[in-house]
Amino acid sequence: MLINLSLWMFPIICMILGGNSIIADKENGRLSLYSTYQASSGYYLISKFLALVLSLFFVMGISYGIFSLIFSLAGSSFAAHIYQVLLLVNMLLILVFSAASLLIGAFSKTRIQGLSAAIIFWLKFYGTLDQVYKEYKCSSSEEVFLSIHKMEQQTD
C-alpha cells in the first residue's frame, strides 16, 4: 500500500509544487525583480530545482529511512533492501518530475494553466490519460487543455 501511494503521490506533489513556485513568482512580479539581479535565469532554475528536490528527498528520506533502519535492526535484511530500492525509485521519480514541473512552470502563464499542464503530464506518464479523454470527450491532450482553459475563462 505504501509503495503504490508513494509511487503515485511523490510525482504529483513535485508537479504541483515545482510548477506553482515559478508561476507564483511570475504572477507576484518577483521574477521580474530577480531578472534585475546579476544572477542568470539558469541559476534561478537550478536553485528552484535543487530546493524542490532536496526538500522532497529530505521528507522521503526520513519516512523511508526510519522504516529501513527499523527493519535492518530487526534483522530483516530483505525488507530493508526493498525499502532501499523503493527509496531509489522514488528519488528518480522526484528528479524527473521536478525537472518537468519547472519546465511546465516556466512556460505557463497562469496557475490554472500550469496546474492543468502538470496534471496532464502526470496522467500521460502513468498512461491513464485515455480515461480522461473519454470523460471530457476529447481525442488529444491539447483538446483537454483547451476545454479546461475554456472552463477557466467562463468562471472569470
Side-chain angles (χ1 to χ4, degrees), residues 18-23 26 99-109 114:
N20 280 339
S21 70
I22 292 181
I23 295 168
K26 284 181 185 179
S101 69
L102 293 177
L103 184 67
I104 288 171
F107 288 111
S108 299
K109 293 185 181 4

Side-chain angles (χ1 to χ4, degrees), residues 45-102:
L45 286 174
I46 288 172
S47 64
K48 286 280 188 181
F49 177 76
L50 287 176
L52 179 62
V53 167
L54 290 176
S55 64
L56 289 171
F57 278 0
F58 180 73
V59 169
M60 184 184 55
I62 287 176
S63 62
Y64 287 111
I66 290 171
F67 283 113
S68 181
L69 182 65
I70 290 170
F71 284 132
S72 65
L73 291 176
S76 177
S77 64
F78 179 72
H81 178 69
I82 288 178
Y83 269 94
Q84 290 169 354
V85 169
L86 180 63
L87 183 71
L88 291 175
V89 168
N90 277 323
M91 290 172 113
L92 178 66
L93 284 174
I94 286 173
L95 288 171
V96 168
F97 278 93
S98 294
S101 69
L102 293 177

